Amino acid sequence: MANPVILSVDDDPAVSRAVARDLRRRYGDRYRVVRASSGPEALEALREIKLRGEQVALLLADYRMPEMTGIEFLEAAMDLFPVARRVLLTAYADTGAAIDAINLVDLDHYLLKPWHPPEEKLYPVVDSLLETWSTSPDAGTTEIRVVGHRWSAESFAIRDFLARNLVPYRWLLVDDPEAGRLLAAAGVSADDVPLVVTADGKALVAPTEAELAGLVGLTVTPAADFYDLVVVGGGPAGLGAAVYGASEGLRTVLVERQATGGQAGQSSRIENYLGFPDGVSGAQLTDRARRQALKFGAELLSTREVIGLTEAGSARLLRFSDGQTLAAHSVVLATGVAYRMLDAPGLADFTGRGVFYGSAASEAPSCIGEDVYIVGGANSAGQAAVYFSRYARRVHLLIRGADLTTSMSRYLIDQLDRVEQVTVHPYTEVVGGAGGEHLQQLTLRDSRTGAQRDVDASWLFVFIGAAPRTGWLDGTLVRDERGFVITGPDLVSGGRRPPGWSLPRDPYHLESSVPGVFAAGDVRAESVKRVASAVGEGAMAVSLVHRYLETQ
């Protein structure tokens, strides 16, 4: 297998030679360094690399180039090598323009020229990006192919699972010639899809998420029966708890029912998270947190649904949906929330076939040249609107109120104002949907006048409200009327501790009504629904776990 490629493109010959020289000096023994003098030339080189079945680990492009800017090149290169890390080279005078253009391409970093000495200004950045890439190698060697029908909810579920778990794959419609060959080789017909085929030829028809997880190398079985800490839920709060628990010496396992990252992991770009002035995609943030947790020794279990929690002396026992159990000294509940279903006649039948809950970023390339409708007025809806505007002809943001100021961050409102393809529709509700094989029409209502109108629509993405994933805790923990877990001082009323509380002290700040069981992030009653606060609560929960364990 040939060494992976690092490609740099710059129209200035002196700069181009300097980039290649510095890269070869440090990485030439492990990577093949290729340089180009223009965007079109670089794209042609990438096409040849793709045809040879080689991998591209890193792309570095100058911002100002004739014919094609660095941003335009990186955006085009994403179609050929979507997993390759992307860096923009820019002069100081162009920094502002480069930052403004970051939302057009999922940029990993930008470097100011010159970067001397490279040991301080270049290599640390490249080292980090290559390490990130090495944990999710390009689809050229580990390519998974998914064959299915365009408007199949089952096919969408598989693609969404792979995308959210950062697994590269290639999507083939059943009428594609290559799909026909794969179906014939697997001995199945087009009626039997979805079909998943690995690089080594192993084929699975309509696999479950657990089967899919095993197929792509995700861990589904715990290495032990007993842990110091079990974290339930892999969103920002859960990942934060896993990182801090494992780094502080606790034997830690994180259990996730579908994919790490939670709702934040589906976000196209988070721009108000501390330490990322240029923004970071939810997938990037999730990937870094996962690798960090694994580095410290935490176990991450996928496709394991927890359905029960009981006390067993000093241990806390968790029961999985398959009947297996897992015990620990302490538990952090970080199950987050789910978007509420849109209660409008006719829509339920189209879930996964035109109606999607959350961003469903895997569907964006299919929206090219079409109208996309988004329901919701909070940050998640705004981020999705910006993201889909890169593909759709027009994005319609439907909100119930007069404007976005009461529910969306100011920076995101300003950003939407600058995107011509996005139209905000105030006082607008979806009251119906219709179609055949997939969603084809929406009925919208003006909440002020009651007037209704029908619009042609094949794409509806819903971001409304938040329902906590706590039904499985019914009768076990004290929750509020909406299902959020009540913790700490809120459990103590009139000097009386919660029913069944067995300790002589009051519950710690994030502790639930069961000693040793803590809640962090969106699932906790009265929590601040932001990524930064969720991570902070995950870390705080671990410090309280230590305090709890010291008294046992």
Side-chain angles (χ1 to χ4, degrees):
M1 180 65 63
N3 285 341
V5 171
I6 297 175
L7 183 143
S8 69
V9 52
D10 197 305
D11 64 309
D12 186 324
V15 174
S16 179
R17 287 192 297 270
V19 174
R21 179 198 65 223
D22 288 343
L23 292 173
R24 289 193 181 103
R25 181 183 302 163
R26 177 115 170 172
Y27 308 104
D29 60 330
R30 292 160 288 155
Y31 296 87
R32 183 162 68 92
V33 177
V34 176
R35 65 187 181 98
S37 59
S38 69
E41 180 185 326
L43 284 177
E44 183 60 33
L46 288 181
R47 294 187 186 99
E48 293 180 7
I49 292 168
K50 186 75 173 181
L51 288 174
R52 290 196 296 267
E54 298 178 19
Q55 305 174 56
V56 173
L58 180 66
L59 301 166
L60 301 97
D62 182 50
Y63 175 66
R64 282 186 180 271
M65 292 188 294
E67 298 183 76
M68 177 181 286
T69 68
I71 289 289
E72 292 169 339
F73 163 71
L74 291 173
E75 188 172 16
M78 288 174 66
D79 294 332
L80 294 169
F81 292 96
V83 184
R85 303 293 96 179
R86 293 172 285 277
V87 177
L88 192 67
L89 306 178
T90 178
Y92 181 80
D94 294 325
T95 301
I99 293 174
D100 289 341
I102 281 174
N103 282 312
L104 297 176
V105 58
D106 197 4
L107 198 65
D108 293 292
H109 208 282
Y110 72 87
L111 286 172
L112 294 177
K113 300 186 294 184
W115 49 77
H116 298 300
E119 289 76 14
E120 296 180 11
K121 303 292 181 65
L122 176 66
Y123 296 151
V125 171
V126 175
D127 285 347
S128 175
L129 294 177
L130 291 178
E131 181 186 355
T132 300
W133 174 83
S134 67
T135 65
S136 54
D138 191 280
T141 57
T142 59
E143 183 173 72
I144 290 176
R145 287 154 291 179
V146 180
V147 179
H149 293 290
R150 175 66 199 87
W151 297 109
S152 162
E154 294 79 13
S155 296
F156 163 73
I158 287 175
R159 291 185 288 121
D160 187 56
F161 178 85
L162 293 174
R164 292 186 61 187
N165 281 286
L166 309 179
V167 178
Y169 70 92
R170 188 145 61 96
W171 166 235
L172 300 168
L173 295 174
V174 291
D175 55 1
D176 185 285
E178 183 176 350
R181 292 191 290 270
L182 291 174
L183 291 170
V188 298
S189 72
D191 295 330
D192 297 320
V193 296
L195 173 71
V196 178
V197 183
T198 64
D200 58 5
K202 185 176 180 179
L204 287 177
V205 177
T208 64
E209 287 187 348
E211 291 173 330
L212 205 53
L215 191 71
V216 301
L218 299 175
T219 303
V220 297
T221 304
D225 296 323
F226 197 93
Y227 292 83
D228 296 318
L229 171 63
V230 175
V231 181
V232 185
L239 287 167
V243 167
Y244 280 91
S247 67
E248 294 174 9
L250 298 178
R251 185 162 194 183
T252 302
V253 60
L254 182 149
V255 181
E256 168 56 45
R257 60 188 291 272
Q258 186 178 39
T260 51
Q263 288 187 3
Q266 301 180 65
S267 190
S268 57
R269 184 157 296 274
I270 303 166
E271 297 197 57
N272 58 352
Y273 188 67
L274 186 67
F276 292 88
D278 306 323
V280 60
S281 72
Q284 286 177 311
L285 191 62
T286 298
D287 179 46
R288 294 176 184 183
R290 279 179 53 127
R291 290 188 293 111
Q292 198 170 14
L294 292 169
K295 182 185 77 171
F296 287 124
E299 293 179 41
L300 304 184
L301 304 184
S302 299
T303 65
R304 300 306 298 267
E305 184 176 9
V306 180
I307 62 169
L309 169 66
T310 56
E311 295 182 71
S314 63
R316 302 293 174 261
L317 198 64
L318 293 165
R319 187 172 76 258
F320 293 127
S321 57
D322 61 2
Q324 294 185 339
T325 59
L326 192 63
H329 287 303
S330 60
V331 175
V332 171
L333 300 174
T335 50
V337 295
Y339 292 115
R340 290 205 305 267
M341 302 290 284
L342 188 59
D343 186 19
L347 288 186
D349 295 337
F350 298 113
T351 301
R353 298 189 294 125
V355 178
F356 306 92
Y357 291 87
S359 65
S362 59
E363 297 303 288
S366 300
C367 301
I368 292 176
E370 300 189 28
D371 282 17
V372 166
Y373 288 80
I374 295 175
V375 179
N379 281 10
S380 53
Q383 290 160 353
V386 172
Y387 178 71
F388 280 102
S389 70
R390 294 164 45 187
Y391 300 88
R393 175 177 58 195
R394 179 152 298 279
V395 176
H396 302 272
L397 187 58
L398 313 180
I399 61 174
R400 300 178 65 178
D403 54 44
L404 297 167
T405 56
T406 60
S407 57
M408 189 177 292
S409 296
R410 183 74 246 176
Y411 82 88
L412 198 49
I413 296 174
D414 293 341
Q415 195 174 113
L416 288 172
D417 288 341
R418 296 194 296 267
V419 181
E420 294 182 0
Q421 294 92 331
V422 175
T423 300
V424 179
H425 300 267
Y427 302 109
T428 303
E429 301 173 333
V430 176
V431 294
E437 183 186 14
H438 62 92
L439 178 71
Q440 294 174 298
Q441 186 182 83
L442 290 174
T443 301
L444 308 181
R445 184 175 76 90
D446 187 315
S447 59
R448 295 166 298 181
T449 65
Q452 295 187 8
R453 60 190 176 97
D454 294 331
V455 296
D456 293 334
S458 296
W459 306 98
L460 177 67
F461 298 88
V462 182
F463 301 82
I464 56 170
R469 302 179 185 276
T470 59
W472 59 280
L473 294 168
D474 190 24
T476 303
L477 300 183
V478 176
R479 299 175 296 154
D480 67 13
E481 66 280 359
R482 295 180 298 165
F484 292 93
V485 177
I486 300 176
T487 60
D490 293 335
L491 288 167
V492 180
S493 176
R496 301 182 62 181
R497 295 173 180 136
W501 184 261
S502 57
L503 300 181
R505 60 168 176 82
D506 290 346
Y508 294 137
H509 180 60
L510 300 180
E511 198 168 19
S512 72
S513 57
V514 173
V517 177
F518 301 83
D522 290 358
V523 74
R524 190 178 68 83
E526 305 303 324
S527 65
V528 178
K529 305 300 189 280
R530 288 290 185 269
V531 175
S533 62
V535 173
E537 287 195 4
M540 185 190 302
V542 170
S543 69
L544 297 173
V545 165
H546 281 294
R547 190 185 304 179
Y548 168 77
L549 294 177
E550 289 169 359
T551 64
Q552 297 305 299

